[in-house]
Amino acid sequence: MSNRIYNILFHTHTISGIFISLALYVIFFAGSFSFFRDEINSWERNEPLVQGWKMSDMHFDRVIDSLKTNDTLVNRDISFNQYYDEQRLSLSISPAKNLEEKGPKRRRRGTFMYLNTQDMKTYDYRSSYSLGEFLYRLHFFAQLNFYGRSGYLLAGIVAFFFLFAVITGVLVHWKKIISNFFMFRPKASIKNLWTDAHTALGILGLPYQFIFALTGVYLIVGTTLMSPAFVKFLYEDNIEKAYDDFGFNPPSYALSGENLQSKFAINPFLKQTKEKWPDFDIRSAHIFNYGDQNMHVKFEGKSDFDRKFASSGSITYKVSTGEIVSEENPFKDVSYIDGSRAVLQRLHFGDFGGIAVKLIYFIMGIVTCFVIISGVMIWLVARDKKHVSPAKRKFNAWLVWFYLAGCLSMYPVTAFTFLMVKLGLQDPSADRVGFIFQTYFWSWLLLTLIFTFMRNNTLTNKYTLILGSVLGLLVPLANGMVTGNWLWVSWASGYSDIFLIDAFWLITSISALLIGLKIKTENQRPIIADRKVLNPSY
């Protein structure tokens, strides 16, 4: 590689990394917690997931009977979706169909709710909102969707530049990638220290980072293509046509106009599906034209990951005759598109190896956060030169003070929000969305400003670790006081999801507290060597 190409790659790697550093840190920090989204929801709601419960264990006819008391379901489509492993699943009921409707129509509003499969209680979106959902959506900036999918678009841009930074980083370090991995000089200059840590941990987490850069781009591009601007530009605002082309719309069955004469039930079709595919993990159930002579039932899902890593399957029955009208075998007939989509999604969400994979993904996510911070510190130290003008050095210092304050404050802010959610959201009528948003974002802003104006990166690192650890130690204590599910009670009762969150905060807080107490704040050489430039108290 010529020096010119090397310099181009090196500078583009640096520029792309600095450009996305803060946003990328938020993505990986919030995304690392998102691996435990289901466990966080169970902990927050005190709704432990029943061991082994799946949608295939649900009594659909009983659920539908409970829905009939509120409104008639005749000539409607009903969809059950279990996206996550929790007690609640999503339930959608379409508007009543009209036999005289012809041609594509603009989407009309139906009914959407969350259903607790244990007590059959229903919730709307706001009353079912959770901290796990908040952190999951934060990692792709869904809270910034002021117009269309602007937050998703920002996350997609960041993911694309991250993929570019990973590739250029490998090319830059390719010749010395082995030797640099084993090089660590803690007593050398501060620049060499940050460089060695950045290189070693970057190489260690390279497969993980590449997977998430690639799958992140894929997932975000898919949602961005469905943005209103895209649909309006290419499909002349015909969202139905766009959904059909991209395979997002369920199949459509016309009404016959005649009611089913005989009694019918959904569970016999469920039983038939389970007998046909014993290892089929049902995740969705769709009922088309409920009560009509042309009523159909469709089950969708996938195989267990230990049987087949990537799969997608479905089966559709016509209720009046009991015949199978369409079938996609998840164990044999997986198309290339469905298979590749399933691989990318499973690699991104880490749902193929239980808690062990989630913990590994979490650790690698935190390691990536350190790689991001170390890259910014290398950038700052490299510009601590006497030939750099005082104005630029001052700007660089303030930029990194703000950057580190915003990034490192996420740890105590997240612990604080966990604590406040358990203590302040026990009232079922509380505004869950507003409470979580205000608690997280206002405390984040406050700590960011405080640590920025402290103008001391060492103190920022030390105090965020200590503050976050103290708050984190209170999380299992608050859960035990409010719900009675102390660590030992959860363990004895088999509530592994609730136990995991309490144990996670206990172990993480003790570890971070020990590290924070060992950080020395005296005799620290300032990153900006010339104090006359800034005249701060480091």
Side-chain angles (χ1 to χ4, degrees), residues 510-529:
I510 292 175
S511 303
L513 182 61
L514 294 176
I515 296 173
L517 293 175
K518 287 184 175 292
I519 295 178
K520 298 180 180 179
T521 57
E522 298 179 356
N523 301 323
Q524 293 289 325
R525 186 176 71 85
I527 294 178
I528 304 297

Side-chain angles (χ1 to χ4, degrees), residues 312-342:
S312 176
S314 65
I315 187 169
T316 305
Y317 301 92
K318 186 172 183 178
V319 176
S320 60
T321 61
E323 64 177 321
I324 298 175
V325 297
S326 67
E327 175 183 331
E328 183 181 355
N329 192 320
F331 307 102
K332 296 180 180 179
D333 303 328
V334 179
S335 66
Y336 174 79
I337 294 178
D338 289 338
S340 58
R341 182 189 297 132

Side-chain angles (χ1 to χ4, degrees), residues 274-431:
K274 292 165 63 176
E275 292 175 351
K276 183 179 181 65
W277 299 325
D279 297 325
F280 186 48
D281 183 13
I282 298 175
R283 288 289 173 166
S284 299
H286 306 279
I287 303 172
F288 305 98
N289 304 332
Y290 183 84
D292 186 78
Q293 188 69 25
N294 199 29
M295 177 179 172
H296 288 72
V297 176
K298 180 180 181 180
F299 298 105
E300 293 180 304
K302 55 190 176 183
S303 67
D304 292 335
F305 72 89
D306 53 352
R307 173 81 180 271
K308 193 170 186 178
F309 183 77
S311 65
S312 176
S314 65
I315 187 169
T316 305
Y317 301 92
K318 186 172 183 178
V319 176
S320 60
T321 61
E323 64 177 321
I324 298 175
V325 297
S326 67
E327 175 183 331
E328 183 181 355
N329 192 320
F331 307 102
K332 296 180 180 179
D333 303 328
V334 179
S335 66
Y336 174 79
I337 294 178
D338 289 338
S340 58
R341 182 189 297 132
V343 168
L344 292 173
Q345 289 179 344
R346 285 206 150 169
L347 287 175
H348 189 87
F349 294 109
D351 61 350
F352 55 87
I355 297 300
V357 171
K358 290 183 179 182
L359 289 173
I360 293 173
Y361 268 38
F362 176 84
I363 293 172
M364 295 307 299
I366 299 302
V367 167
T368 303
C369 289
F370 182 84
V371 172
I372 297 168
I373 289 179
S374 61
V376 174
M377 298 306 296
I378 293 172
W379 176 85
L380 176 63
V381 174
R383 282 149 184 79
D384 181 21
K385 306 295 183 182
K386 292 184 178 180
H387 63 80
V388 179
S389 66
K392 289 183 178 180
R393 296 172 69 187
K394 184 175 182 178
F395 173 80
N396 294 339
W398 274 102
L399 181 64
V400 175
W401 285 330
F402 173 77
Y403 167 82
L404 284 184
C407 291
L408 299 180
S409 293
M410 289 190 72
Y411 174 52
V413 166
T414 303
F416 176 69
T417 308
F418 267 83
L419 184 62
M420 294 305 297
V421 161
K422 182 56 66 173
L423 296 177
L425 272 184
Q426 298 305 308
D427 183 3
S429 62
D431 180 11

Side-chain angles (χ1 to χ4, degrees), residues 156-176:
I157 294 173
V158 172
F160 176 79
F161 276 100
F162 179 52
L163 179 62
F164 182 78
V166 169
I167 295 174
T168 53
V170 171
L171 293 176
V172 167
H173 296 287
W174 182 253
K175 288 186 176 181
K176 298 182 179 180

